[in-house]
Amino acid sequence: MNHAAARISVVIPTLNEAAHLPALLATIAAAPDLVAAIIVSDGGSTDQTPTLARAAGAILIEGPSGRGSQWQRGIAAAPTKWLLLLHADSHLPPDWPTTIRRNLTDPSRAYFGTLRFASADLRARLLEALVRLRCFLFRLPYGDQGLLIHRDVLEAAGGMPCLALMEDVALARNLGRRRLAPMNLIVTTDASAYIRDGWVRRAAANLIRLLRYLIAPDAPAIRDYRR
């Protein structure tokens, strides 16, 4: 395969993301030689998200909310083997297509980015460092870091778990350490939830949810949670 000529599909789950989606879609659409399709998998937005997606030329897939099932519908509609899974509030650096192309050489692995928060707060830098440590020690990236994955690897890992929450953790565990690798891509994510809830409180709540999931993945409190 000529990996330099390989193309990807970008899949984005959404629920009322009108404030964030246009900027991300514009960034992705600026790389038509790399991106074969942009797929927005909406979970019932009541704002302008669907209209904005269509206006930007994205393929819009609509259905019930739940991030895992939204990923599944979006991935099913993707025309390419390579998939880039992104959250709607993500921002990519200008050279992101170059980084992606460099990681299309090994379709047996899945690649995650480096998380950065859109905040100058020193607590954001501390949390970013903790995320890097988590990924180094446990190979446990979250969905807001982005994931570049070949469809064959995804299918070999059992596909995208149909979970409303922790689908990213479940997928990482199914992939295992051997099939997960970092890529040199900084993915900047919105920090408004941390600013609103407090950095320590939000981080602690996320850690508690992770531990509860690891202890009891099928607990109703985890399964029914909505972001």
Side-chain angles (χ1 to χ4, degrees):
M1 178 186 292
N2 181 1
H3 295 288
R7 302 182 78 197
I8 66 171
S9 298
V10 182
V11 185
I12 308 165
T14 57
L15 182 61
N16 296 328
E17 292 287 358
H20 300 119
L21 189 61
L24 178 60
L25 294 181
T27 298
I28 296 168
D33 292 342
L34 173 63
V35 179
I38 306 172
I39 300 161
V40 173
S41 183
D42 192 67
S45 292
T46 56
D47 65 2
Q48 292 298 306
T49 295
T51 300
L52 293 169
R54 292 191 188 96
I59 299 169
L60 179 66
I61 308 295
E62 297 180 285
S65 64
R67 186 162 279 166
S69 60
Q70 288 177 240
W71 283 126
Q72 289 181 343
R73 293 192 295 270
I75 290 167
T80 62
K81 288 285 191 178
W82 279 103
L83 309 165
L84 179 59
L85 311 182
L86 291 173
H87 286 185
D89 60 351
S90 298
H91 295 268
L92 301 176
D95 64 344
W96 73 272
T98 301
T99 301
I100 294 298
R101 288 189 179 97
R102 288 172 181 161
N103 289 279
L104 298 179
T105 58
D106 185 359
S108 68
R109 307 187 83 181
Y111 303 90
F112 58 89
T114 299
L115 180 67
R116 177 172 293 171
F117 288 102
S119 170
D121 196 306
L122 291 178
R123 289 168 293 186
R125 307 289 84 78
L126 174 60
L127 188 53
E128 291 163 3
L130 292 174
V131 169
R132 290 193 297 271
L133 180 63
R134 183 192 71 217
C135 291
F136 175 76
L137 293 176
F138 305 112
R139 279 294 190 269
L140 197 61
Y142 285 178
D144 50 13
Q145 295 172 245
L147 188 71
L148 177 66
I149 188 168
H150 194 276
R151 190 183 294 274
D152 292 348
V153 175
L154 181 60
E155 292 177 355
M160 177 63 70
C162 189
L163 300 173
L165 179 71
M166 296 295 174
E167 83 294 335
D168 45 4
V169 174
L171 177 58
R173 297 181 78 198
N174 291 343
L175 287 167
R177 294 184 64 92
R178 289 188 306 105
R179 291 186 291 201
L180 276 168
M183 60 178 168
N184 188 27
L185 178 71
I186 294 175
V187 181
T188 302
T189 191
D190 180 65
S192 59
Y194 286 87
I195 296 170
R196 180 193 67 223
D197 298 342
W199 287 92
V200 174
R201 176 182 290 184
R202 181 79 180 187
N206 288 342
L207 178 59
I208 290 170
R209 291 186 192 109
L210 172 62
L211 294 175
R212 290 174 66 190
Y213 169 76
L214 295 176
I215 293 170
D218 296 324
I222 296 297
R223 187 174 62 246
D224 298 336
Y225 177 82
R226 295 294 184 271
R227 293 175 188 264

